Amino acid sequence: MRKNQLASILFAVLLALIIIPILFPFIWMLMSSFKTQVDIISWTPRFIFHPVMQNYARVFVEQNFLQYMKNSVIVSVVSVFFSLVLGLPAAYSIARYKQKKLSIFILVARLMPGISFLMPWYIVFSRLHLMDSYIALILSHMLIALPLVVWVMSPYFDSVPRELEEASMVDGLTQQRAFLKILLPLSGPGIVTATTLSFIFSWNNFMFSQVLSQQKTRTLPIAVYNFLSYVEVDWGAVMAAAVTIMAPAIILTMFFQKYVVKGLTMGAVKG
């Protein structure tokens, strides 16, 4: 009995040691978004304070934050959609026909730092007069989302028994219709996983938007710059903007958490 209690206490302590360092920055950021500038920069950290809403008022009233949010939604949703349209058939082809060279090429593209694509993208989009356009941002974000979709879904399709597909083709379905009607429904958790991770990476992307967008298509991560100046940093507004940016990704992750875990684990087991 005592051993079980001791084990439970040790587990709780270890869990706290892991969770607290992870959650503390977010909790501090959330608290700071309701503090005045004086409370934030106070030498002694203030955990008890009078909350104010002026930081969020500056974010949504004084700045064009809703336009930035609209841009982020358009770029993230469209880039993830086309990444799924192209990535799911590619992942199926790699899994069924063992196209190792193609998978290695996609892996290399995924592992390459995004900054290595910036100069070519900038030159191409400048020549095509596509700077500060949704097309430029969507294509650049697909560099992140498309390889991710392929690498999440390839082992998942490989884990689906080939006999199910062959049985449906015996019943009269073509290979394309078997892919749409049999494999995709069975791969639901994997698709949710790939969609969630791709959306989060696209939503939080800063580098491509910094170089390829201007006033018209700026996304949320770039909007934080509006609260930085040479004179001072409006930390309250920065924290409020950061909370606003992180909220959709956190909500999406919490909502699809069980599907993401299921998708990642099921794709690792064949058969």
Side-chain angles (χ1 to χ4, degrees), residues 43-170:
W43 179 256
T44 304
R46 298 182 180 179
F47 295 96
I48 300 176
F49 57 91
H50 179 69
V52 296
M53 296 298 298
Q54 62 188 25
N55 297 321
Y56 288 93
R58 282 199 293 273
V59 168
F60 288 100
V61 178
E62 297 179 13
Q63 301 292 333
N64 196 15
F65 216 71
L66 291 178
Q67 177 63 34
Y68 301 143
M69 183 173 291
K70 171 189 170 186
N71 293 338
S72 287
V73 170
I74 292 174
V75 172
S76 299
V77 171
V78 176
S79 63
V80 171
F81 172 77
F82 282 109
S83 296
L84 290 173
V85 170
L86 297 175
L88 291 176
Y92 169 77
S93 177
I94 291 172
R96 281 293 181 260
Y97 300 105
K98 309 300 179 184
Q99 297 171 319
K100 295 184 178 180
K101 292 183 179 179
L102 178 59
S103 63
I104 293 174
F105 175 78
I106 295 175
L107 177 62
V108 171
R110 179 68 185 91
L111 295 179
M112 287 183 65
I115 196 171
S116 62
F117 296 100
L118 276 179
M119 186 57 68
W121 273 141
Y122 181 82
I123 295 173
V124 170
F125 292 135
S126 297
R127 297 285 178 86
L128 296 176
H129 304 287
L130 290 175
M131 293 293 293
D132 196 25
S133 67
Y134 289 125
I135 295 176
L137 289 179
I138 289 170
L139 291 177
S140 62
H141 282 217
M142 286 178 65
L143 283 174
I144 301 172
L146 183 56
L148 184 61
V149 170
V150 172
W151 272 92
V152 169
M153 293 306 302
S154 293
Y156 203 94
F157 284 138
D158 196 37
S159 68
V160 177
R162 187 186 292 266
E163 289 77 10
L164 294 175
E165 184 181 355
E166 293 174 348
S168 64
M169 295 174 66
V170 170

Side-chain angles (χ1 to χ4, degrees), residues 236-251:
V238 169
M239 296 299 177
V243 170
T244 305
I245 294 171
M246 292 179 62
I250 293 175
I251 294 172

